[in-house]
Amino acid sequence: MNKENAITVKDLTKTFGAFTAVNNISFEVGKGEVFGFLGANGAGKTTAMKMLIGILKPTSGIATVANFDVISHAEDVKKSIGYMSQRFSLYNDLTIKENITFFGGIYGLKKADIKVKTKELIEELGLHDEANKLVGALPLGWKQKVAFSVSLLHNPQIIFLDEPTGGVDPITRRQFWEMIYREAHRGKTIFVTTHYMDEAEYCDRVSIMVEGKIEALDTPKNLKTLYKVDTMNQVFLKLARNIE
Amino acid sequence: MGISVKNISKSYDKVMALKNISFEVKPGELFGLIGPDGAGKTTLFRILTTLLIANEGEATVAGYNVIKEYKSIRNHVGYMPGRFSLYQDLTVEENLNFFATIFGTTIAENYDLIKEIYVQIEPFKDRRAGKLSGGMKQKLALSCALIHKPKVLFLDEPTTGVDPVSRKEFWEMLKRLQKKGITILVSTPYMDEAALCDRIALIQDGNILEIDTPEVIKNSFPKRLFKVKAAETFKLIQDLGSYEQTHSAYPFGEYIHFTSNNVDFNAKDLVQYLQANGHTDIEVNETAPTIEDTFMELSK
């Protein structure tokens, strides 16, 4: 990739005792790219992602995220990225507005800015009527849309999404991907994991991790050609073995 | 002696979780409840497994009434809840033994039924359940739900968050259990799994949208469906959204699935519209609808 990289990973490895969770992986993600990070359960995706967002120290290798080294500049990495996961996103017993204010504060936004951002965000999501409702009362799809917007509050350059659409209804799932496209269009880099293989097709490039290694990395189109199949689901089934 | 649900409603405070739903699951059938998070699937499972009482309506499971004969139901059904709910501090074997004992049986007595699943985790039988990987927990939970040889098996989102390879294996396992005569009610948010069921109910917001075989549901799609592609996907989605003949336009893998509000729709018009908006590499082809297309059309 000739253009500027958002993420550069070189020989990244993480071992836990005798077990190698991430085994010498290398790849680059270009600025503004939607990069799909796929793999079976237990393939090492979460461990790799934790190293990239600066919360887990690699055993060896180098990773640079938003031009910061994940080991020596972990705090700068955290400030430059947005992160949302399926498991923890928002506080269920705060309202949408309160969640935005809370996370805005955590990200160090000024009070006045938080006010402006809150208005913008609620407008963009069309959530006027729900703004003062508890997040816990929202359908999962809406929660995930709000969580995604919250992860953008501090204007990060790269957004990490860990299975953002698991269990979400099909229409909302697609609206979520339209939000992803929009942000990519605005120049943000998206790093996303998913178990929905149709979503893998929406990515500019995807990597598939198998037993700690990156077994394939290319555009969905090239991968389908390479493995002589019609869908990413078939590519995945060909590559990913069950490690248990 | 499958499952019969008649006019069941359930509300929590102001939220109506289930709105007057009815359906039948035939004995030996593999029946899928297909719907997203919050559709009411878990509420229905809890009512049928006698853990929750409906506000209205009646239901029987394996011929027993869920209220009057709840104790019989508990002896004859297996239930694998969505959340892992085995004893984390007991080992694999201890968990299985515990569930066998509770139901007045032994592992040896029904080993045949679980053998195929259990052998995969047997090498770890001395490991605590809390220390198992996701896939192994799932296999142990299924073994525990089967150890008393239930007539009806309830599986609440057994494959959520599970990768495509493991999901495929899990469904192969269900098919084999079905062949042993067990009636299975399974829920899933993955529309592609619907095709593997004998019949399915599409459920959203506490309502059943449709009940039938996957084939019939696919064929009931009310419109002509086109797959559309162009060089710039994001722009394509936006331009299809503002096209006056658009009824629906949803991303579907590498294509956008498109239906028109015009009964006399001509694909050439769409190609022209896209060309006029600067699109290149345009493809517009008629395609067969999937369950997911139907689901989205029904819930629109």
Side-chain angles (χ1 to χ4, degrees):
Chain A
M1 199 142 288
N2 290 324
K3 59 177 181 175
E4 208 179 324
N5 284 336
I7 301 171
T8 308
V9 175
K10 186 116 186 39
D11 305 327
L12 197 65
T13 297
K14 179 72 190 179
T15 57
F16 298 102
F19 177 66
T20 305
V22 174
N23 193 353
N24 208 28
I25 62 171
S26 300
F27 63 92
E28 290 164 0
V29 180
K31 229 176 159 181
E33 193 173 14
V34 179
F35 189 85
F37 196 59
L38 312 182
N41 299 108
K45 296 190 304 284
T46 304
T47 305
M49 203 183 227
K50 279 184 178 168
M51 291 192 278
L52 295 183
I53 63 175
I55 61 170
L56 184 69
K57 235 181 171 167
T59 307
S60 62
I62 303 167
T64 314
V65 172
N67 294 323
F68 294 110
D69 184 285
V70 296
I71 302 173
S72 58
H73 291 81
E75 290 315 307
D76 292 315
V77 167
K78 288 177 199 165
K79 283 177 194 153
S80 317
I81 62 165
Y83 173 74
M84 85 165 264
S85 87
Q86 188 191 8
R87 283 165 208 96
F88 174 77
S89 42
L90 302 167
Y91 289 99
N92 279 329
D93 38 17
L94 295 183
T95 66
I96 295 183
K97 261 190 183 166
E98 285 166 347
N99 265 291
I100 299 171
T101 308
F102 175 78
F103 282 101
I106 293 260
Y107 288 133
L109 266 62
K110 292 196 191 85
K111 262 193 180 158
D113 291 340
I114 292 178
K115 251 193 167 163
V116 176
K117 280 271 184 189
T118 306
K119 223 181 142 198
E120 269 178 24
L121 199 155
I122 287 171
E123 198 125 312
E124 202 164 312
L125 292 170
L127 285 176
H128 293 280
D129 298 340
E130 283 83 11
N132 289 314
K133 278 190 189 157
L134 296 185
V135 160
L138 289 179
L140 177 72
W142 282 105
K143 268 188 216 171
Q144 295 302 76
K145 283 204 253 181
V146 176
F148 181 58
S149 303
V150 164
S151 75
L152 296 169
L153 275 177
H154 55 303
N155 199 22
Q157 290 316 298
I158 307 170
I159 305 140
F160 288 86
L161 305 169
D162 194 0
E163 283 183 46
T165 56
V168 172
D169 74 83
I171 293 182
T172 313
R173 198 154 73 78
R174 285 169 171 83
Q175 290 168 346
F176 193 93
W177 270 89
E178 283 178 32
M179 291 174 73
I180 292 182
Y181 275 135
R182 190 178 310 132
E183 292 310 319
H185 218 69
R186 288 172 179 164
K188 308 250 188 239
T189 306
I190 312 283
F191 188 93
V192 58
T193 72
T194 179
H195 286 317
Y196 290 97
M197 287 304 119
D198 61 328
E199 295 185 348
E201 309 259 9
Y202 308 156
C203 301
D204 293 319
R205 288 189 307 149
V206 299
S207 71
I208 299 180
M209 254 186 116
V210 181
E211 294 174 34
K213 290 183 179 159
I214 289 184
E215 206 86 327
L217 197 173
D218 213 323
T219 62
K221 194 178 170 199
N222 288 348
L223 287 176
K224 285 183 283 184
T225 310
L226 180 66
Y227 291 96
K228 300 185 179 70
V229 291
D230 299 326
T231 63
M232 278 306 293
N233 194 47
Q234 290 165 307
V235 171
F236 191 90
L237 291 177
K238 275 203 162 182
L239 271 177
R241 291 178 296 273
N242 200 330
I243 57 161
E244 289 158 15
Chain B
M1 302 282 259
I3 301 168
S4 163
V5 176
K6 274 191 203 124
N7 308 114
I8 289 278
S9 292
K10 175 73 192 175
S11 62
Y12 302 104
D13 294 329
K14 285 172 210 149
V15 183
M16 280 290 273
L18 292 173
K19 300 167 190 165
N20 194 27
I21 68 161
S22 302
F23 66 94
E24 305 257 335
V25 179
K26 295 171 200 153
E29 197 170 29
L30 175 52
F31 192 96
L33 268 180
I34 319 290
D37 192 270
K41 303 190 300 284
T42 300
T43 298
L44 181 60
F45 273 94
R46 296 180 64 83
I47 290 170
L48 294 178
T49 52
T50 77
L51 300 173
L52 192 67
I53 295 177
N55 298 115
E56 282 169 59
E58 275 188 33
T60 62
V61 174
Y64 301 108
N65 183 287
V66 289
I67 299 189
K68 291 182 213 125
E69 299 165 294
Y70 74 94
K71 281 189 178 162
S72 305
I73 290 186
R74 290 180 187 182
N75 282 325
H76 290 105
V77 305
Y79 175 38
M80 184 172 153
R83 232 176 242 178
F84 184 69
S85 42
L86 301 179
Y87 294 95
Q88 313 255 1
D89 294 338
L90 296 185
T91 66
V92 167
E93 197 175 29
E94 284 166 348
N95 264 295
L96 192 59
N97 213 348
F98 175 80
F99 283 96
T101 311
I102 284 220
F103 285 105
T105 183
T106 60
I107 298 179
E109 198 173 331
N110 292 319
Y111 189 73
D112 252 10
L113 191 61
I114 63 159
K115 189 179 164 196
E116 209 177 335
I117 305 155
Y118 190 63
V119 287
Q120 300 175 51
I121 47 172
E122 212 161 16
F124 311 99
K125 66 180 172 86
D126 296 324
R127 194 180 286 186
R128 286 185 192 202
K131 296 280 181 202
L132 294 175
S133 73
M136 287 198 275
K137 277 183 183 163
Q138 188 196 39
K139 282 170 188 141
L140 177 59
L142 184 58
S143 300
C144 289
L146 284 169
I147 194 60
H148 58 297
K149 211 175 179 187
K151 289 179 180 155
V152 182
L153 183 61
F154 292 93
L155 304 165
D156 193 5
E157 297 207 16
T159 55
T160 294
V162 176
D163 68 76
V165 176
S166 310
R167 288 207 279 135
K168 189 165 170 273
E169 286 178 358
F170 193 83
W171 276 87
E172 285 162 4
M173 222 146 61
L174 288 192
K175 286 278 183 193
R176 288 194 290 266
L177 284 173
Q178 186 194 10
K179 287 205 179 88
K180 292 180 177 163
I182 298 175
T183 305
I184 301 173
L185 181 67
V186 57
S187 70
T188 177
Y190 293 100
M191 304 280 155
D192 57 341
E193 294 181 346
L196 304 166
C197 301
D198 296 326
R199 285 192 308 142
I200 55 174
L202 302 182
I203 180 168
Q204 184 162 37
D205 294 331
N207 292 303
I208 288 185
L209 306 172
E210 188 98 64
I211 305 172
D212 219 314
T213 63
E215 218 34 49
V216 170
I217 286 186
K218 268 189 275 185
N219 295 335
S220 71
F221 192 76
K223 288 177 175 289
R224 289 171 73 197
L225 184 71
F226 294 86
K227 50 179 190 179
V228 184
K229 200 176 169 179
E232 277 183 73
T233 311
F234 181 62
K235 187 169 156 28
L236 179 64
I237 294 171
Q238 289 185 318
D239 288 341
L240 284 175
S242 49
Y243 183 45
E244 55 179 17
Q245 292 197 44
T246 298
H247 169 72
S248 66
Y250 296 119
F252 240 90
E254 58 181 317
Y255 296 96
I256 310 296
H257 278 191
F258 169 89
T259 60
S260 172
N261 51 27
N262 175 4
V263 280
D264 301 317
F265 172 74
N266 186 337
K268 280 181 190 153
D269 294 344
L270 177 57
V271 174
Q272 266 176 16
Y273 166 80
L274 293 176
Q275 277 167 345
N277 279 279
H279 284 280
T280 55
D281 304 326
I282 302 165
E283 288 175 36
V284 179
N285 290 303
E286 195 152 0
T287 188
T290 64
I291 300 277
E292 193 155 5
D293 290 299
T294 311
F295 188 95
M296 288 195 289
E297 179 60 29
L298 288 170
S299 62
K300 204 173 148 80

